[in-house]
Amino acid sequence: KRLDLQVVLPQTFSLEEFLNLKRHYASLGIYSKGSLKVWKQFLTVSDFNNVETYLDAGFDGAMIDLDKIIEIIIGVDSDSFLSGPRLDWIQSVEKFFKETGFNKLIKNHKQVLITGKSIGSEELLNYFIKSGVWGIAVRENVIDSLREHVSFLEKKFSGMTGQ
C-alpha cells in the first residue's frame, strides 16, 4: 500500500535553520520523494519576505497560521479580530498577503493550507479561496457556514468561467 504523507516541519527563523532542519529530517528518511511531501510553516513576516529563497531551498507545501500573521501585522489576537473585524483590519491583512510572497507560493504551485480561528472571517475566507489556496483548517464554529459559503463561491466562479 502506498502511503501518502504530508509532514509540516517545525518553525524555523532563518534559511540556514530551515536547511539544517531539512538535512536532519532527511537523515531520518523524511524528505520530499514520491508520496512523502515536506511542508514549511509560514508564521512571520520574514518568512514571506524571503519566500523566493525558501522556494529555491525546496518544500512542497506551505502552512500559514493566519492568527499569528494577524497578530503581527495588526496587533490583535484572533478573538478580538473576530469579535469586531474592522474594514481597515481586513484590508491590512489582504494588503499584506498581496504585497508579500504569498502569491509566489500559489504561482509556484505550492499547496497552501491556512490555519487559525481568523479564517472564520467571511472576507478573509473569500480572499483565500479566490487566491487558490489548497486547504483551510476550520474550527467547529465555522463549519456550519462554510459549506454554504463554498457552494456560493463555486456557483459564482462557474458563472465566470462559463461552466
Side-chain angles (χ1 to χ4, degrees):
K1 179 181 178 189
R2 182 177 161 192
L3 179 65
D4 289 320
L5 185 62
Q6 314 278 323
V7 176
V8 180
L9 298 180
Q11 181 178 7
T12 57
F13 295 95
S14 68
L15 176 63
E16 182 179 339
E17 190 179 353
F18 178 67
L19 291 172
N20 286 338
L21 188 62
K22 278 184 61 176
R23 281 191 282 276
H24 173 70
Y25 274 67
S27 73
L28 301 172
I30 301 171
Y31 53 90
S32 296
K33 182 180 181 186
S35 63
L36 178 61
K37 304 299 178 196
V38 175
W39 287 44
K40 178 178 179 0
Q41 292 188 57
F42 282 77
L43 305 173
T44 67
V45 173
S46 177
D47 288 335
F48 287 97
N49 289 339
N50 296 307
V51 72
E52 287 185 30
T53 307
Y54 286 113
L55 285 166
D56 290 341
F59 62 92
D60 300 299
M63 186 182 83
I64 298 171
D65 187 326
L66 185 58
D67 294 342
K68 287 188 187 281
I69 298 299
I70 285 174
E71 193 167 332
I72 291 168
I73 62 173
I74 298 176
V76 298
D77 64 16
S78 59
D79 291 327
S80 298
F81 180 81
L82 288 172
S83 68
R86 300 181 344 211
L87 183 58
D88 61 324
W89 289 355
I90 292 167
Q91 289 171 339
S92 294
V93 173
E94 288 181 3
K95 181 179 178 188
F96 170 81
F97 283 103
K98 286 176 185 172
E99 294 180 355
T100 61
F102 173 73
N103 289 331
K104 291 177 183 165
L105 294 171
I106 303 295
K107 287 179 184 172
N108 281 277
H109 308 289
K110 299 299 177 190
Q111 294 179 332
V112 176
L113 174 65
I114 306 292
T115 67
K117 287 183 190 178
S118 301
I119 200 62
S121 159
E122 187 172 331
E123 293 85 356
L124 291 182
L125 182 61
N126 278 343
Y127 173 76
F128 286 113
I129 291 173
K130 289 177 184 176
S131 296
V133 298
W134 173 79
I136 297 168
V138 296
R139 304 264 192 244
E140 189 173 331
N141 62 339
V142 177
I143 292 174
D144 293 337
S145 62
L146 182 65
R147 181 64 232 154
E148 182 179 315
H149 190 74
V150 170
S151 178
F152 169 77
L153 288 174
E154 287 173 338
K155 290 175 187 171
K156 184 176 176 180
F157 288 140
S158 66
M160 292 170 61
T161 61
Q163 295 179 352

